[in-house]
Amino acid sequence: MQLSHTLRSGSAVFDDPNLVSAAGLVPLLKLAERAGLQMLADQHLSVSTDQGANAGLKVASLVAGMAAGADSIDDMALLRHGGMGRLFARAYAPSTLGSFLRAFTFGHVRQLDAVASRLLTGLAVVAPLVTSAADGLVLMMLTTRSSRCTGAPSRAPAMATPGSVA
């Protein structure tokens, strides 16, 4: 078998109303719902402007978009393409999500951190495989900051968790 040596240009368009580009979001968002993401965001986020309405749904939309590969506000439009509207009841426009995020202050970031810690506890309850049955310990590395990691790989766990035994 031989590959063609002539390159042809082509393009793919995702415009069929019955196609879904990120069907894996269904179990992810169901798990987030069972762990209480929307409820926790509604309880703990207090964005006082009109952009803060339905904070739980907006946070869930942002999580879904990031999980589907969106790395900018404009990329959140992928939640509204094709058949996504058939899977999810409410998909916010990227501009709405951007306005929501721009309304955040440092205090709101701290509130979102509280949501994240409680969500992790909720995940441990609804997904028992997250914790070890043998010793009840969980080793997870969560970060909201992208940074370069350097150092010896064998020392990484000891450096990541103070007081742990490498």
Side-chain angles (χ1 to χ4, degrees):
M1 182 158 117
Q2 181 180 0
L3 292 174
S4 172
H5 293 288
T6 58
L7 296 176
R8 290 181 243 175
S9 68
S11 66
V13 178
F14 185 75
D15 59 357
D16 189 308
N18 297 315
L19 294 177
V20 176
S21 65
L25 291 178
V26 174
L28 173 81
L29 289 179
K30 188 63 175 173
L31 179 62
E33 180 183 312
R34 288 182 59 211
L37 175 63
Q38 292 179 23
M39 178 194 66
L40 290 167
D42 284 333
Q43 285 178 352
H44 296 284
L45 276 177
S46 63
V47 181
S48 59
T49 64
D50 61 332
Q51 287 93 2
N54 299 318
L57 288 172
K58 290 176 182 172
V59 168
S61 294
L62 290 165
V63 167
M66 289 186 292
D71 60 0
S72 68
I73 295 299
D74 290 336
D75 289 348
M76 291 292 171
L78 68 86
L79 297 174
R80 298 168 60 121
H81 288 182
M84 296 293 269
R86 294 178 184 212
L87 294 178
F88 305 110
R90 180 85 189 234
Y92 287 99
S95 60
T96 302
L97 296 173
S99 297
F100 174 66
L101 291 174
R102 282 188 291 279
F104 271 45
T105 63
F106 179 73
H108 295 116
V109 173
R110 296 295 303 250
Q111 291 172 356
L112 198 56
D113 187 42
V115 170
S117 66
R118 287 168 175 84
L119 178 66
L120 185 58
T121 303
L123 284 171
V125 171
V126 299
L129 292 177
V130 172
T131 59
S132 170
D135 55 11
L137 295 177
V138 177
L139 177 60
M140 299 180 85
M141 189 164 197
L142 304 173
T143 182
T144 57
R145 181 178 169 193
S146 296
S147 61
R148 186 174 180 175
C149 295
T150 59
S154 63
R155 294 195 58 219
M159 292 186 310
T161 55
S164 65
V165 178

